[in-house]
Amino acid sequence: MPIRFIDEIDVKGKRVLGRFDFNVPIKDGEIKDDSRIRAAIPTIKYVIEKGGKLIACSHMGKPKGKFVKELSLTPVAKRLSELLNIDVKMAPDCIGDEVLNMVNSMGEGDILLLENLRFHEGETKNDKDFSKELAKLGDIYLNDAFGVVHRAHASVVGVTEFIKDVCGGFLIKKEVEYLNNYLKNPERPFLLIAGGAKVSTKLGILHSLLNKVDRVIIGGAMANTFRKAQGCEVGESLVEEDLIPDAKNIMDLAKEKKVSFYLPVDYVMGKDVNDLTPMGTYPYQDVDSKGKILDIGPATLVLFSEVIKDAKTIVWNGPMGAFENPTFSQGSFGIAQVVAANEGVKIVGGGDTDNLIHSCKLEDKITFVSTGGGSFLEFLEGKQLPGLKALGLYD
Ligand code: ADP
Ligand code: MG
């Protein structure tokens, strides 16, 4: 069956087993950032307001199949209660008779939060028996955890074998709308901005998007491998020597496909990522062999800005430099400003790139910031994601 979303399904009086991404940072029992919980609220509210019984589940961290007190979802139940202003009950486990009894005593509009799915090793192994146990808890399966749809885990894939009525929540609906539908027929010029630490993690995207885009900008440490492939010195910077042939291939492919390809023309260099004083700005053909390239330089910012300005569709993954250190953040922050000011469709994703956008408070000026890290990248690579396949996206 083709993919359906929660607003196409009658949930009244039904038990809705909802997979969310409540994998939030917790320290000493305190939630440090609750944005993932907040992001799930529209879907949660919809289910309970329509009279569904919501059995919510999520993973937290990597307990590797064992109970780990620090990775309990109890603080999440508390935060959900505060955000929704209703009592969200916490289950002692995610499967078993006691949990089933709690589910059976729920009324319409109630919410029960199951304990960390990864306390059972069956979760990450996509185990059939574990999936079956989970499936006993719901009449309808709902997935709103885009961050895990690239993983074939029991609560993402296995469980859908045993619950026939499956759907996506509003977060997944938006991801599919932008990443699937929107990028199929992008308005042109279509620009890819790729940055970050490693070419190796971005090769798939570069290959797949080179067939679709009109322009490519490469920044971050990734650019070093491309410049090295052209015979340039990169000093002590991060570089992936073994990927030089791939970098050459990508540049050849860009030429063949008539894709405009832009690399940095100058850099801010430093002795180390943690240094607070930069060594200075260097043109790309004249880097200091005893330093590290840690940000794009001011001339590159001007060049890239020109390329970004009149693009109609932009996909951006990967920072332009080691932006966590303010000394090397100007390139990334500058590009973020220019992307935000562009009037076309701007889609941004990737764990660190999301952080970057949030740290310059520009999320409201970006058309869509994906909630997925790995899943966002794999989606752009054109891979079929198991969790979306289980919802019927590719049927
Ligand atoms: P995302 O998580 O958005 O996909 P990546 O994980 O690929 O992005 O890359 C982000 C990391 O790359 C950041 O931690 C940043 O510090 C690092 N980085 C970017 N440019 C450089 C550089 N020139 N030298 C060292 N690290 C860099
Ligand atoms: Mg990252």
Side-chain angles (χ1 to χ4, degrees):
M1 199 174 349
I3 192 162
R4 288 184 307 163
F5 298 100
I6 188 67
D7 49 349
E8 299 165 62
I9 288 190
D10 181 14
V11 296
K12 190 166 169 55
K14 300 269 178 58
R15 299 172 309 157
V16 180
L17 176 65
R19 174 55 157 110
F20 297 94
D21 183 358
F22 296 144
N23 184 27
V24 292
I26 294 189
K27 211 174 162 219
D28 305 325
E30 286 285 319
I31 296 174
K32 292 290 158 211
D33 176 2
D34 67 356
S35 11
R36 285 184 175 167
I37 304 175
R38 287 176 186 274
I41 295 295
T43 299
I44 295 175
K45 268 198 173 150
Y46 184 89
V47 173
I48 57 174
E49 278 166 10
K50 295 285 175 187
K53 305 169 185 176
L54 183 66
I55 298 100
C57 62
S58 173
H59 74 284
M60 163 97 69
K62 292 180 176 161
K64 306 216 165 112
K66 278 195 230 43
F67 178 84
V68 178
K69 192 164 170 274
E70 293 70 36
L71 296 176
S72 165
L73 286 169
T74 305
V76 175
K78 193 170 152 249
R79 181 56 55 92
L80 277 172
S81 301
E82 288 160 6
L83 291 170
L84 294 160
N85 212 8
I86 59 167
D87 183 31
V88 173
K89 289 218 161 54
M90 185 66 207
D93 200 346
C94 59
I95 52 167
D97 290 342
E98 193 183 348
V99 179
L100 191 58
N101 287 336
M102 286 178 92
V103 169
N104 288 338
S105 67
M106 288 170 77
E108 291 184 6
D110 282 353
I111 306 180
L112 175 70
L113 178 61
L114 303 182
E115 189 49 283
N116 193 342
L117 293 157
R118 292 191 188 165
F119 285 172
H120 291 263
E121 58 177 13
E123 164 64 1
T124 52
K125 291 193 166 147
N126 200 23
D127 178 74
K128 203 168 184 161
D129 294 328
F130 179 72
S131 303
K132 237 186 228 173
E133 285 300 309
L134 266 183
K136 282 184 189 165
L137 307 177
D139 307 307
I140 294 170
Y141 169 78
L142 158 77
N143 188 346
D144 211 20
F146 185 73
V148 294
V149 293
H150 60 314
R151 308 222 183 273
H153 291 172
S155 68
V156 180
V157 174
V159 68
T160 62
E161 252 188 74
F162 306 103
I163 300 181
K164 284 292 153 259
D165 228 350
V166 303
C167 64
F170 295 122
L171 282 177
I172 288 207
K173 186 176 182 175
K174 219 170 164 199
E175 297 277 352
V176 167
E177 187 181 320
Y178 281 97
L179 304 185
N180 199 52
N181 309 351
Y182 219 99
L183 296 184
K184 248 184 205 153
N185 295 303
E187 265 206 76
R188 294 179 182 281
F190 180 8
L191 162 70
L192 167 67
I193 307 175
K198 291 182 179 168
V199 184
S200 47
T201 56
K202 311 291 160 86
L203 266 179
I205 298 194
L206 285 168
H207 270 293
S208 114
L209 285 187
L210 266 180
N211 291 307
K212 299 193 182 124
V213 297
D214 306 294
R215 303 172 182 170
V216 174
I217 282 175
I218 306 271
M222 248 180 96
N224 304 340
T225 305
F226 285 90
R227 280 295 186 202
K228 183 114 200 210
Q230 292 176 328
C232 302
E233 163 88 65
V234 294
E236 292 170 355
S237 314
L238 264 184
V239 66
E240 286 162 290
E241 301 276 353
D242 52 326
L243 289 181
I244 287 177
D246 289 281
K248 280 187 182 148
N249 273 339
I250 285 169
M251 289 187 283
D252 288 345
L253 197 64
K255 203 171 202 174
E256 189 190 310
K257 305 256 175 209
K258 299 195 165 50
V259 173
S260 313
F261 197 88
Y262 300 88
L263 289 169
V265 292
D266 64 342
Y267 310 109
V268 177
M269 297 188 73
K271 286 275 176 220
D272 193 74
V273 208
N274 301 317
D275 276 358
L276 294 177
T277 30
M279 288 164 62
T281 302
Y282 297 76
Y284 79 90
Q285 70 278 37
D286 195 19
V287 307
D288 189 322
S289 61
K290 298 240 158 10
K292 290 181 176 160
I293 296 166
L294 292 166
D295 195 8
I296 56 171
T300 305
L301 185 53
V302 174
L303 168 70
F304 286 0
S305 299
E306 281 303 309
V307 180
I308 294 167
K309 232 165 44 187
D310 66 336
K312 289 276 188 341
T313 307
I314 301 173
V315 172
W316 179 15
N317 166 257
M320 296 291 108
F323 77 99
E324 295 89 343
N325 178 348
T327 311
F328 306 111
S329 67
Q330 281 170 41
S332 297
F333 286 5
I335 292 295
Q337 296 286 353
V338 179
V339 169
N342 171 291
E343 286 173 359
V345 173
K346 297 143 321 187
I347 297 176
V348 175
D352 295 290
T353 319
D354 281 7
N355 285 344
L356 163 67
I357 295 294
H358 283 95
S359 52
C360 31
K361 299 200 168 35
L362 288 172
E363 62 273 18
D364 294 341
K365 298 208 163 65
I366 303 294
T367 323
F368 181 61
V369 182
S370 175
T371 54
S375 45
F376 171 78
L377 298 183
E378 290 194 23
F379 204 117
L380 293 185
E381 283 174 27
K383 284 190 188 153
Q384 289 203 351
L385 307 187
L388 295 179
K389 191 172 164 61
L391 295 179
L393 180 65
Y394 312 105
D395 290 359

